[in-house]
Amino acid sequence: MSDKTAVALTIAGSDSGGGAGIQADLKTFSALGVFGKTVITSVTSQNTFGVQAVDDLPVGVVESQLKSILEDGKCQAVKTGMLGNEKIVERVASLLKRYRVKNLVVDPVIFSSSGKKLLTSAGVKMMMERLLPLAHLVTPNIREAEILSGIKIRLPADRKRAARKILKSGVRAVVITGGHLKGKPEDLFLDKSGMEILSSKRVSDSDPHGTGCVFSSAITAGLASGKQVLPAVIDAKDFIGRAILGEVISGNGKASVEPLSALYRENEKAHAMEGMNRALRIFRDERIGALVPEVQTNIGLALSGAKYHEDVLAIPGRVIKNGDDIFTGAEPEFGGSRHVANIVLTVMRHDSDKRAVMNIKYTDELLKICRRLKFKIACFDRADEPKKVRVREGSSLEWGTQKALTDYGSVPDIIYDLGGIRKEEMIRVIAEDIESLTDKILKIHRLYKKTL
Ligand code: PXL
């Protein structure tokens, strides 16, 4: 138990589809190490195609939840999301004021991402008059900023005017998000000390459901953890980028952001690292040096959905042999070898479930052993390699792997080649994961040892 854990509250609607609202807020708090509490204002029936129904809760039910939380103290930051109607806005504002809530972030949810109205017009007016004066920050997108300011936003200058107008409501700072505009996503931040344009690279062209909720929750989590407003906004921008990259297709319609994706990835990386180190220990104990070719060995282990070299774990400097003993000069590293990563990534383009590769020495005997083990075997001939591929550093193995896979028609257990000018012949062992790769290598080695 830790009494140092930051606590945050979200006052928002339930999204039955799980992509936005309370569900997204709680995941965001958790991903950022903040304990989340919830006050539900409205129950929306929705899925990845849109909102089918909206049922605002009776204002007394909202009040009762909120009082329970506020009576308990210890809530370092609060956000509001969907509030539904003016009665709920009024009651929430008056309670937040009575309990002198600090660090209030208002996400002025007016429409769902599919275009359904989630706050009445009277509710918008009430939010401007009663809620914004209590808030540290309001986080409208362009469309919401237009409604809050009454200014049509076409040009960057319009957005600045809108931000100044919104600040007049009494809110201490405003960030108008620009993710829905074309080009680089630029957010405009304004507080009493001035204006900042926060720009970032566009991580993806998709516009998944839930971005507004996750962004404002990430800011709230930052405030709960003691950050100032602007640093919290900057960090939240980075966080939402990763949640967009990790978007999930959870139904047959629109994708949703996944606030936990970065955590899942870290977890997967730690598992891969453990698995790789375990495999290396087994190979060391088994003394598999006889399988290591002159150019030495590497093992590539990719994360699910790997696309780049950085997504593939390998050993920088390779696995080297001294007699039957093997050594590594460095810890496994993501992006640790372009060579072996090229092979794994090429294999994954044919079958994304095959994520582990290791190269071993070629001998006729070893190939025979692979046949005896009933491994599926494909090969390529370096003589077929076009010159322009040969001269492009690092593209040779990609070409060879691609050629073998295309000729074979599926992903085999083994791809070998007989080498070429200044190219050693080689066997590559392919497997689904590091455990099954280890298993295949041990089987090969045990049979090979008997022939030596
Ligand atoms: O993204 C705004 C939003 C907030 N809250 C709920 C929602 C949505 C969008 O659909 O459903 C409950």
Side-chain angles (χ1 to χ4, degrees), residues 112-225:
S112 75
S113 41
S114 56
K116 179 103 177 164
K117 204 144 193 233
L118 299 180
L119 181 62
T120 58
S121 303
V124 174
K125 193 160 172 283
M126 189 71 77
M127 185 166 69
M128 298 283 293
E129 287 170 7
R130 302 283 304 277
L131 199 55
L132 290 194
L134 309 175
H136 277 62
L137 179 70
V138 60
T139 63
N141 58 29
I142 296 285
R143 191 172 181 197
E144 291 159 349
E146 288 183 334
I147 295 170
L148 296 185
S149 66
I151 293 169
K152 186 95 198 120
I153 301 176
R154 288 213 178 76
L155 305 167
D158 300 330
R159 194 162 69 148
K160 289 182 185 167
R161 273 199 303 133
R164 286 195 198 96
K165 182 93 181 281
I166 293 168
L167 208 61
K168 290 207 174 101
S169 67
V171 66
R172 297 211 210 146
V174 50
V175 58
I176 303 181
T177 57
H180 295 93
L181 295 174
K182 289 209 174 64
K184 272 204 302 192
E186 282 190 341
D187 296 347
L188 184 154
F189 179 88
L190 178 69
D191 66 5
K192 67 176 184 324
S193 47
M195 199 171 280
E196 299 251 4
I197 299 292
L198 312 173
S199 78
S200 58
K201 261 200 335 226
R202 186 170 288 282
V203 292
S204 155
D205 280 333
S206 81
D207 174 22
H209 178 57
T211 49
C213 301
V214 170
F215 180 62
S216 55
S217 297
I219 298 169
T220 309
L223 297 182
S225 311

Side-chain angles (χ1 to χ4, degrees), residues 13-15 20-21 44 46 82 109 112-113 118 209 213:
S14 164
D15 169 359
T44 70
Q46 59 177 306
M82 175 188 176
V109 175
S112 75
S113 41
L118 299 180
H209 178 57
C213 301

Side-chain angles (χ1 to χ4, degrees), residues 38-40 58-71 91 95 99:
T38 60
V39 167
I40 299 182
V59 69
V61 178
V62 176
E63 172 163 1
S64 157
Q65 296 173 78
L66 186 50
K67 272 189 170 160
S68 291
I69 305 302
L70 296 177
E71 292 284 345
R91 198 65 57 90
L95 284 165
Y99 285 85

Side-chain angles (χ1 to χ4, degrees), residues 330-393:
E331 283 286 300
E333 213 176 279
F334 283 91
S337 161
R338 294 180 73 83
H339 247 79
V340 75
N342 275 339
I343 303 177
V344 181
L345 293 171
T346 308
V347 165
M348 283 180 76
R349 283 200 289 277
H350 290 252
D351 181 350
S352 58
D353 287 335
K354 302 270 168 75
R355 293 197 265 131
V357 171
M358 177 168 170
N359 69 299
I360 60 171
K361 186 163 80 178
Y362 174 92
T363 69
D364 293 342
E365 188 59 43
L366 275 167
L367 189 62
K368 235 194 279 172
I369 287 171
C370 292
R371 289 216 171 89
R372 202 175 340 142
L373 287 166
K374 304 237 172 347
F375 287 162
K376 291 192 243 161
I377 299 172
C379 65
F380 64 91
D381 184 348
R382 285 188 185 267
D384 298 335
E385 186 177 353
K387 182 153 181 279
K388 69 171 189 291
V389 176
R390 219 175 317 144
V391 294
R392 198 155 61 89
E393 176 59 30

